[in-house]
Amino acid sequence: MSDPAVVAKLLLARCESLSVGSPAMPVAMPDVSFTPPVDGKGKPKPYLRVSLFPNAPFWAALAVGRVDQGLLQVTVVWPKLKGNIKPIAAAGQVIAHFPKGLVLSEGATRVKISGDAWHGAPVPDDTETLIAVTIPWRAA
């Protein structure tokens, strides 16, 4: 059986190693103080925002036992009215960082990226455009 704290640690550590863009976009981690970046004129700059969504576990078999599962979401946050091509390219870099079958492990906990990651449609709001990349995972 996996340790939920170790699962979170492994997934978030993988997010911390993201290097998207040049220079690399900062990464806002869940429940960690973060100030969105701005340029010298006070205009917003792109960054990544991470969310972790555990889901209900399931039982695979007597030999396997409980399997934890969930979704990791990395959202590309881009200044509004700057077009969609560059943020979609950034989403593609996030997807490439979490290939299907990637295994992260520590001790007895093993987390596997269980399916292909995908990005949603760009969603504009008042000041930024958001593109969520969703990454499915399972841990045993």
Side-chain angles (χ1 to χ4, degrees):
M1 184 165 72
S2 63
D3 179 337
V6 175
V7 169
K9 176 183 171 186
L10 290 167
L11 290 167
L12 296 177
R14 183 72 179 177
C15 290
E16 287 175 341
S17 71
L18 275 165
S19 182
V20 175
S22 181
M25 295 165 58
V27 180
M29 301 302 280
D31 201 31
V32 174
S33 179
F34 180 82
T35 301
V38 294
D39 65 16
K41 297 178 182 177
K43 296 192 181 222
K45 291 176 65 175
Y47 66 95
L48 304 172
R49 184 174 61 219
V50 176
S51 302
L52 185 56
F53 301 103
N55 203 340
F58 67 92
W59 285 88
L62 289 177
V64 176
R66 175 184 158 148
V67 177
D68 292 310
Q69 62 182 346
L71 301 171
L72 174 67
Q73 193 168 68
V74 179
T75 302
V76 176
V77 181
W78 207 266
K80 189 174 180 179
L81 302 176
K82 298 289 183 182
N84 288 333
I85 302 303
K86 288 183 180 180
I88 289 172
Q93 288 182 276
V94 173
I95 290 168
H97 194 68
F98 290 94
K100 178 181 178 180
L102 173 70
V103 175
L104 309 169
S105 61
E106 180 179 303
T109 300
R110 184 173 175 265
V111 181
K112 182 175 183 179
I113 302 305
S114 59
D116 292 323
W118 70 91
H119 72 79
V123 178
D125 74 4
D126 293 341
T127 61
E128 55 204 15
T129 296
L130 309 172
I131 299 178
V133 175
T134 304
I135 303 134
W137 59 266
R138 289 189 178 166

